[in-house]
Amino acid sequence: MAPDTAPDKALAGRTAVVTGASSGIGRAIAEAIGGAGAHVVLGGRTQEAMEESMARIKAAGGTAQSHVHDVRTVAEARALVDSAVKSTGRLDVMVNNAGVSYPEPIVDGDPEHWRIMLETNILALLVGSQAAVHAMRACGAEGHIVNISSVASLNPASGVYGATKHAVNCINESLRRELFDDPIKVVTIMPGAIATSFARNFDPAVLELMVSSMGGDTAPAQFTPGGRLSDEALEHAQQTMSEHLCTPEDVAEAVLWAITRPAGVHLASLVVRPKKDLTL
Ligand SMILES: NC(=O)c1ccc[n+]([C@@H]2O[C@H](COP(=O)([O-])OP(=O)(O)OC[C@H]3O[C@@H](n4cnc5c(N)ncnc54)[C@H](OP(=O)(O)O)[C@@H]3O)[C@@H](O)[C@H]2O)c1
């Protein structure tokens, strides 16, 4: 593994893959890891957003490439890791972050929404983790697999979305034990409410109620179901509801910290949440 060159370039010489890097938490993680010197491979569905992130990483002296794909397809999830290995010959950090939520009661929920959550939040994370282990073993990396869970995984009654995050925690702990004899660490990050486009599939009326109960307003947020919110609207939301919402950068800093601990220290799980809880 390449030696650290400077404290702010702790990941120089490493290669990192981040899924869901076109928005929110994944975008912030990709930019933080790129800023720390790693070559970052951003995976997502929205090329324009990834180009903006790559430009910021390059302006900070880093290198990056993007890969448009659908993580719900096994071959496409694997192809993201392959593209990183093809470009740099190695993989050191894998962040399985892409995730979706359709908050519906089980009794009236749509099985197609369950399928999307199961395939995005669980299947893609499993495929990405497996591909990463193979790639890290092949290059002898002291690797990190960072899987994004949620505080919903700490709530026994958090619906189908929460069930996918309970599964993530179980997968991570199982993987951590499977890798006892490998120099690969598995990190579980459990964010609380973070100002991102995560609520894109929420019922706008329910969302409005949630926001007003936290003292915020939805005026700047033009919600199109399934659509992403503008950075300005998200910034406004975070600033007006700062006790209830953290920033994606708060999560990215925790990830960066977790993957830059000394070899003998394993940060197995971290909760990053605002001061006041919000049930998602
Ligand atoms: N925000 C929160 O409050 C919160 C709290 C706890 C946990 N989390 C977790 O944090 C992670 C990131 O969410 P976020 O808050 O950053 O939400 P977000 O802004 O909606 O970002 C989700 C990312 O996942 C990508 N994605 C979704 N489905 C995909 C697919 N089929 N193929 C490829 N990429 C796909 C999206 O790509 P496009 O935008 O290009 O479509 C986007 O980059 C998720 O795992 C979520 O469960 C979020």
Side-chain angles (χ1 to χ4, degrees), residues 8 32 54 61 72 86 179 184 186 188 196 222 249 259 271:
D8 62 334
M54 287 194 295
R72 292 172 58 203
K86 198 171 167 207
L179 295 174
I184 302 172
V186 182
T188 306
T196 70
Q222 294 308 315
E249 290 71 27
I259 64 174
V271 176

Side-chain angles (χ1 to χ4, degrees), residues 174-203:
S174 306
L175 191 58
R176 192 179 74 80
R177 292 170 194 225
E178 284 185 36
L179 295 174
F180 272 165
D181 294 327
D182 287 86
I184 302 172
K185 297 175 187 174
V186 182
V187 182
T188 306
I189 302 286
M190 289 177 269
I194 314 294
T196 70
S197 292
F198 177 70
R200 57 175 94 186
N201 299 311
F202 289 25
D203 177 340

Side-chain angles (χ1 to χ4, degrees), residues 17-33 40-43 53 57 95-98 148 196 248 251-252:
V17 167
V18 182
T19 72
S22 49
S23 177
I25 294 171
R27 179 175 74 172
I29 293 172
E31 293 186 19
I33 289 178
V40 188
V41 181
L42 297 92
S53 278
I57 292 170
V95 184
N96 290 297
N97 160 79
I148 306 300
T196 70
V251 182

Side-chain angles (χ1 to χ4, degrees), residues 66-119:
S66 65
H67 186 94
V68 174
H69 73 158
D70 184 342
V71 282
R72 292 172 58 203
T73 304
V74 171
E76 291 190 31
R78 285 189 181 136
L80 177 67
V81 171
D82 290 346
S83 74
V85 174
K86 198 171 167 207
S87 298
T88 66
R90 58 183 305 109
L91 180 68
D92 302 278
V93 181
M94 176 78 202
V95 184
N96 290 297
N97 160 79
V100 288
S101 173
Y102 290 88
E104 301 164 341
I106 292 168
V107 172
D108 297 314
D110 179 345
E112 193 46 41
H113 292 163
W114 302 343
R115 186 194 308 281
I116 295 170
M117 287 191 278
L118 293 167
E119 291 181 353

